[in-house]
Amino acid sequence: MTQTELPKRTEPVRSVAIIGGGASGAIALDSLIKEGVFDKITVFERRDVLGGVWHLDENPDQLSVPPGAPESELDPPLEVPVQLLDDADIRSVNAPRSSQQRYIHTASFDGMRTNIPERIMTYSDDPHWEFLDRPGKDTFTSVKAVSRYIETYLARHPEHVVLRTTVEDISKDFNKPNSQYKLVLRTETDQKDENGDLIDKWWTESYDAVILANGHYHVPYITPVPGIDEVFKEFPGVITHAKTFRDHNVYKDKRVIVVGARASAIDIYRLISPITKEVYSSRRSPNLFVADPDGPNNQIKPVIDRYEVYEEDGKKSFRVVFEDGSVVTNPDEVIYGTGFRFSFPFLKRLIPDFSIGNIIPLAYQHTFYIPDPTLALVGVPIDGLSFRVFEYQAVLVARFFAGNAVLPPEEVQRQWTEERFSRFGNTRQYHSIGVDAALPYYDDLITIGGGVDPIGKPGSRPFPVLSVTDIETLKAERERLRKFFNDTSIQK
């Protein structure tokens, strides 16, 4: 899109589509409903279960993720039946199900826990998990408790949720201010054609506004370094991504390298370290977190410099060479906890550059698509207080769609994104809202939204208010994280 301002909508928003039935979709739905002005609100969840990334898939697809492969290569859009594109009058058509990998399984694993205190991670009107898995020790809980929490929250409005339905394409004439978004949807059925192939129903529906709440922990990314492609090809199953990690017991007596130092890499390292023969934690800073190894064969390593494949006694082998020159030869597995890439295949026709690697460059306050803010996002900020951050976003979006909040001029919004990019570039820190940044971010959204108190009809949702105890918990959490990561600049 160019920087030429598009005509803005003059008619009220009456219908909203929400893409994703996870934590951000749940709070977006409840916030919109409580505004009391929308005629149609629909959550489209592509799976047959709710919970988003917190749902535990016991048997996920075993992914083959080529190192350095971009999301455009791994997760391209499906070919939409031509009958449903653009101005076609046909509203539905049946077609055989595609076998393309869609990365629907989550990265959750048994033993995964929350890492933010209960009272500041949950939604403000439901501040308790179903249970704490270590009561008396902390207020964290298991992945299963969080998944049930989201399911229960969405169960408030079951008539607004459509399962097994993927948004495959979105189109809109941006030059017409009141035009709607046309969604091409694909609903999985259990029907089969004459060849025994499963059939999907493709259909269309239009909405005044769209909320992207589909998250960003789906398409994995493995950092490329010299030689890794050859190892990936010659030694299948050795180079893996943390997304498919499930059972730590399979690593008993194995030699493993875990790459990365964010949450998933830390969790995996600590789960497997007591039972592996050797485990190496490779990360940029040797002091990034206190590893507290449980055995003599656990070692901290710098980043991987290169891989080298060689032949010895007629058999191919490989070595992993780290930046300090140290070497690990023929590890059983190298697990990359190096994150994910944004992927919005359904927007590729409409906005090809909507996301670029680690960032959504035109998302004002991580929430509104600047050229047309009737396309909004909830759930983009990372490293923060999770559901509570999403709640602030959802309240603001609901107020804006209802006509009860006004965004600043487009030039101000673009300046915000330019300053953000100047500071963080195309890195995961661009969308990071950590503990220290949370309070000013909340204040910014409240200011844009017209204040804490409800503005619309009776029953509309206020912004959450942090109590003295909440703020004290925030400060304590900041210190806990700094100690855990051994990094005093964690949220500067």
Side-chain angles (χ1 to χ4, degrees):
M1 307 300 296
T2 66
Q3 291 204 5
T4 301
E5 289 197 23
L6 298 174
K8 297 298 185 282
R9 186 176 184 86
T10 59
E11 296 177 358
V13 170
R14 287 290 177 258
S15 57
V16 185
I18 302 170
I19 303 176
S24 49
I27 192 63
L29 174 63
D30 195 69
S31 300
L32 289 169
I33 288 174
K34 286 180 176 175
E35 284 295 321
V37 299
F38 304 107
D39 300 326
K40 181 172 68 172
I41 309 168
T42 310
V43 172
F44 293 108
E45 168 53 52
R46 64 180 179 170
R47 305 195 59 182
D48 59 357
V49 293
L50 298 169
V53 296
W54 291 94
H55 176 76
L56 175 60
D57 291 304
E58 301 284 356
N59 298 296
D61 292 340
Q62 292 304 303
L63 304 174
S64 179
V65 183
E71 73 284 352
S72 58
E73 175 185 323
L74 296 176
D75 192 29
L78 290 188
E79 184 176 350
V80 175
V82 294
Q83 304 97 310
L84 301 179
L85 291 175
D86 302 320
D87 297 325
D89 292 330
I90 297 175
R91 294 297 181 88
S92 68
V93 63
N94 292 335
R97 184 168 305 165
S98 170
S99 61
Q100 179 179 311
Q101 175 60 250
R102 303 311 299 277
Y103 300 94
I104 65 171
H105 293 141
T106 72
S108 295
F109 51 85
D110 200 16
M112 178 175 162
R113 307 178 74 227
T114 58
N115 57 12
I116 298 293
E118 176 186 50
R119 67 176 298 120
I120 56 175
M121 177 175 171
T122 50
Y123 307 130
S124 62
D125 62 343
D126 190 5
H128 299 290
W129 305 123
E130 181 180 330
F131 62 85
L132 301 176
D133 61 347
R134 299 179 187 175
K137 184 175 181 180
D138 57 40
T139 62
F140 306 148
T141 194
S142 70
V143 61
K144 292 182 179 179
V146 180
S147 181
R148 284 202 287 269
Y149 177 89
I150 298 168
E151 292 171 8
T152 301
Y153 208 85
L154 279 162
R156 297 178 176 188
H157 314 291
E159 69 279 10
H160 292 273
V161 179
V162 178
L163 297 177
R164 299 183 71 184
T165 299
T166 304
V167 178
E168 297 290 3
D169 185 76
I170 297 178
S171 58
K172 178 180 179 175
D173 186 347
F174 282 124
N175 292 312
K176 296 179 180 179
N178 296 311
S179 64
Q180 291 187 304
Y181 294 91
K182 178 182 175 181
L183 277 58
V184 176
L185 304 150
R186 179 180 60 83
T187 298
E188 294 185 351
T189 76
D190 296 321
Q191 299 175 359
K192 295 183 179 180
D193 62 18
E194 62 275 9
N195 298 318
D197 297 324
L198 288 168
I199 293 175
D200 291 340
K201 175 186 176 182
W202 290 72
W203 51 294
T204 66
E205 199 160 280
S206 296
Y207 291 84
D208 296 332
V210 174
I211 295 177
L212 307 180
N214 54 311
H216 42 83
Y217 295 113
H218 300 295
V219 181
Y221 183 76
I222 292 179
T223 307
V225 295
I228 192 173
D229 289 339
E230 187 175 4
V231 173
F232 181 80
K233 178 181 177 181
E234 297 290 340
F235 302 89
V238 169
I239 305 295
T240 66
H241 191 276
K243 180 168 184 176
T244 58
F245 177 89
R246 287 300 182 272
D247 182 7
H248 68 282
N249 292 304
V250 302
Y251 296 94
K252 182 175 174 60
D253 298 326
K254 291 188 175 183
R255 302 171 62 247
V256 182
I257 299 172
V258 181
V259 181
R262 303 309 301 180
S264 60
I266 294 171
D267 287 342
I268 291 170
Y269 178 81
R270 293 190 168 188
L271 280 170
I272 71 175
S273 63
I275 61 173
T276 49
K277 182 178 180 180
E278 297 174 13
V279 60
Y280 303 88
S281 174
S282 168
R283 57 295 229 314
R284 294 191 180 281
S285 172
N287 297 318
L288 191 56
F289 70 85
V290 181
D292 191 24
D294 294 312
N297 295 321
N298 303 341
Q299 296 183 38
I300 307 301
K301 291 287 188 181
V303 298
I304 295 173
D305 180 71
R306 65 189 183 278
Y307 290 79
E308 296 176 349
V309 176
Y310 62 97
E311 193 166 314
E312 187 174 54
D313 298 328
K315 181 180 179 182
K316 282 191 174 182
S317 296
F318 74 98
R319 61 176 68 94
V320 183
V321 183
F322 298 91
E323 276 193 342
D324 62 357
S326 61
V327 174
V328 173
T329 302
N330 292 326
D332 294 295
E333 190 167 337
V334 183
I335 306 173
Y336 275 79
T338 47
F340 300 80
R341 289 293 185 266
F342 284 110
S343 186
F344 303 94
F346 48 83
L347 285 175
K348 286 299 183 184
R349 280 203 321 136
L350 183 64
I351 315 170
D353 55 354
F354 183 77
S355 64
I356 303 173
N358 292 290
I359 70 172
I360 302 170
L362 291 180
Y364 173 60
Q365 294 288 352
H366 316 287
T367 307
F368 295 101
Y369 178 58
I370 295 174
D372 188 342
T374 59
L375 179 61
L377 305 104
V378 175
V380 168
I382 58 174
D383 296 335
L385 306 182
S386 199
F387 300 7
R388 191 63 62 89
V389 175
F390 306 163
E391 183 175 353
Y392 280 85
Q393 286 186 291
V395 173
L396 176 57
V397 171
R399 290 188 184 184
F400 175 73
F401 284 176
N404 294 321
V406 178
L407 299 181
E410 187 169 314
E411 62 182 28
V412 174
Q413 298 180 49
R414 289 184 181 274
Q415 182 180 359
W416 182 91
T417 62
E418 289 164 3
E419 290 176 353
R420 192 91 186 162
F421 188 83
S422 176
R423 184 176 179 188
F424 298 110
N426 192 345
T427 69
R428 72 187 306 279
Q429 292 301 312
Y430 183 94
H431 291 298
S432 177
I433 302 294
V435 175
D436 284 358
L439 287 176
Y441 182 62
Y442 293 166
D443 288 342
D444 287 345
L445 299 192
I446 290 171
T447 299
I448 297 169
V452 170
D453 295 335
I455 296 177
K457 292 185 176 182
S460 59
R461 196 179 190 106
F463 280 103
V465 175
L466 293 179
S467 67
V468 173
T469 302
D470 291 332
I471 294 174
E472 290 175 350
T473 303
L474 269 173
K475 292 178 179 178
E477 180 63 11
R478 175 188 60 200
E479 296 308 314
R480 183 189 72 84
L481 288 173
R482 285 179 174 171
K483 180 179 179 181
F484 180 75
F485 285 98
N486 194 22
D487 184 359
T488 57
S489 63
I490 188 170
Q491 291 298 336
K492 293 294 185 181

